[in-house]
Amino acid sequence: MNMMDMFGKMKEVQSRMKDAQETLSAVTETGESGAGLVKVTVNGLKNVLKIDIDPDLIKPEDREMLQDLIVAATNKAMTSVETRAREHLRQATEGLLPNIPGLNLDGLMQ
C-alpha cells in the first residue's frame, strides 16, 4: 500500500469514525446492583438514560444504601457501554486499514 492510498484510507477512517460516534447514542448498556434492585442504563456517549429502583428500597432508613447501589450500578453500566462503544466504532471502520501490529487508533474514539 503506497502513502497516497494510506492517506486516502485515513480520511475514510476519520469520516466513518465521525459517523459511528454520532450513532453512539443508540448503543446502550444497563448495569445492575443489589441483585437487580437498582438498574442504571447509559448510552455510548456515557450519558445516564434511566435509573430503575425497586420500590421496596425506597425507605428513609435505606437512603445511604440506595445511594451506594446507584453508584455501583452506574459504574457497571459505564464499564459495559465502553466495551460496546469500542466494538461499535471498530465495526464502523472494519476493513479500511491494514492490520498493522502496534497501530492503536483508540485516540480517535474519544
Side-chain angles (χ1 to χ4, degrees), residues 15-36:
S15 175
R16 284 203 190 174
M17 287 293 290
K18 183 177 183 278
D19 292 343
Q21 286 174 332
E22 290 173 358
T23 62
L24 280 176
S25 62
V27 175
T28 62
E29 196 66 39
T30 300
E32 297 181 2
S33 64

Side-chain angles (χ1 to χ4, degrees), residues 23-30 41-44 47 49 77 80-81 84:
T23 62
L24 280 176
S25 62
V27 175
T28 62
E29 196 66 39
T30 300
T41 302
V42 298
N43 67 15
N47 295 320
L49 302 176
S80 295
V81 82
R84 295 240 354 249

